[in-house]
């Protein structure tokens, strides 16, 4: 299964958290749409950036 990694940024340009989600999962578009609806900017990151992140929320969503 392929995985997308991204971070979400607030209106002040601060990274609020990172997310790992299985491509094609029911959760993939749901979480992205929810974050966009809340005004966050979504930025694609690498798996390494995701693994190195330790400053806030980390979200992992698998295919369900």
């Amino acid at each position: 299964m392929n995985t997308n990694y991204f971070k979400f940024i607030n209106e002040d340009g601060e990274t609020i958290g990172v997310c790992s989600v299985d491509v094609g999962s029911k959760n993939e578009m749901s979480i992205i749409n929810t974050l966009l609806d809340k005004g966050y900017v979504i930025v694609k990151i690498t798996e390494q950036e995701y693994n190195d992140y330790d400053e806030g929320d980390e979200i992992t969503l698998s295919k369900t």
Side-chain angles (χ1 to χ4, degrees), residues 35-59:
L35 292 170
L36 291 173
D37 288 346
K38 294 186 179 291
Y40 295 114
V41 174
I42 306 296
V43 178
K44 187 167 179 62
I45 59 173
T46 65
E47 181 179 6
Q48 187 63 49
E49 289 173 294
Y50 175 82
N51 290 334
D52 290 345
Y53 186 79
D54 64 355
E55 298 178 25
D57 292 329
E58 293 179 34
I59 301 169

Side-chain angles (χ1 to χ4, degrees), residues 6-54:
F6 60 88
K7 60 183 175 181
F8 44 107
I9 301 169
N10 68 12
E11 61 189 26
D12 295 326
E14 299 170 315
T15 298
I16 302 302
V18 295
C19 186
S20 163
V21 62
D22 288 347
V23 175
S25 69
K26 292 178 184 177
N27 291 323
E28 183 180 29
M29 289 311 299
S30 178
I31 189 68
I32 289 171
N33 287 334
T34 298
L35 292 170
L36 291 173
D37 288 346
K38 294 186 179 291
Y40 295 114
V41 174
I42 306 296
V43 178
K44 187 167 179 62
I45 59 173
T46 65
E47 181 179 6
Q48 187 63 49
E49 289 173 294
Y50 175 82
N51 290 334
D52 290 345
Y53 186 79
D54 64 355

